[in-house]
């Protein structure tokens, strides 16, 4: 019976244009990180530029995905704003990849 209810709910969500949650793509996040972030934050996430976060220590990753998303969108200090350059979905992919640096 639960299988039928789940299928029914999915059908309703799809036909009503309701958002369906999708997991972030860490592989896509790595590609985007390489393109947009690596030059300042380093290939290993330790940070190459002064005042950049060291993601291997979890620095800055103790915040929620929404807070990190806002930081990437708006930029701060020497970091540019990526609003309109990187989509929301892609930013969450990057965040997913950033979280792999934590030790």
């Amino acid at each position: 019976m639960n299988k039928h209810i789940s299928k029914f709910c999915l059908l309703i969500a799809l036909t009503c244009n309701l958002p369906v949650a999708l997991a972030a793509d860490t592989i896509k996040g790595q590609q985007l990180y390489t393109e947009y972030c690596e030059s300042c934050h380093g290939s290993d996430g330790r940070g190459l530029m002064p005042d950049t976060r060291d993601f291997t220590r979890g620095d800055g990753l103790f915040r929620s995905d929404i807070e990190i998303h806002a930081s990437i969108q708006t930029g701060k200090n020497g970091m540019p704003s990526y609003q309109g350059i990187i989509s929301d979905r892609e930013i969450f992919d990057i965040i997913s990849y950033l979280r792999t640096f934590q030790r």
Side-chain angles (χ1 to χ4, degrees), residues 3-4 9 13 15 19 24 32 34 44-46 54 57 64 68-69 71 86 90 99:
K3 263 197 256 183
H4 298 295
C9 290
T15 57
L32 293 163
T34 300
D44 60 359
R46 293 185 190 277
D54 181 347
R57 295 189 333 228
S64 71
I68 296 170
H69 176 280
S71 293
I86 304 174
E90 290 172 328
R99 294 202 183 281

Side-chain angles (χ1 to χ4, degrees), residues 3-102:
K3 263 197 256 183
H4 298 295
I5 292 171
S6 295
K7 287 180 182 178
F8 177 73
C9 290
L10 180 60
L11 178 64
I12 294 297
L14 293 174
T15 57
C16 292
N17 252 351
L18 296 175
V20 177
L22 301 172
D25 183 345
T26 305
I27 294 170
K28 179 71 173 170
Q30 180 180 18
Q31 295 165 347
L32 293 163
Y33 178 88
T34 300
E35 182 177 348
Y36 294 104
C37 314
E38 189 175 292
S39 62
C40 294
H41 292 281
S43 62
D44 60 359
R46 293 185 190 277
L48 300 174
M49 307 292 286
D51 298 324
T52 55
R53 299 198 184 272
D54 181 347
F55 297 120
T56 62
R57 295 189 333 228
D59 187 25
L61 296 180
F62 295 118
R63 299 176 297 156
S64 71
D65 287 358
I66 299 297
E67 291 172 307
I68 296 170
H69 176 280
S71 293
I72 293 171
Q73 253 192 341
T74 60
K76 184 176 179 183
N77 299 327
M79 182 176 156
S81 165
Y82 285 99
Q83 188 167 1
I85 298 170
I86 304 174
S87 72
D88 289 336
R89 172 80 185 169
E90 290 172 328
I91 291 174
F92 285 115
D93 292 341
I94 292 169
I95 294 168
S96 174
Y97 179 66
L98 287 178
R99 294 202 183 281
T100 69
F101 289 135
Q102 287 181 288

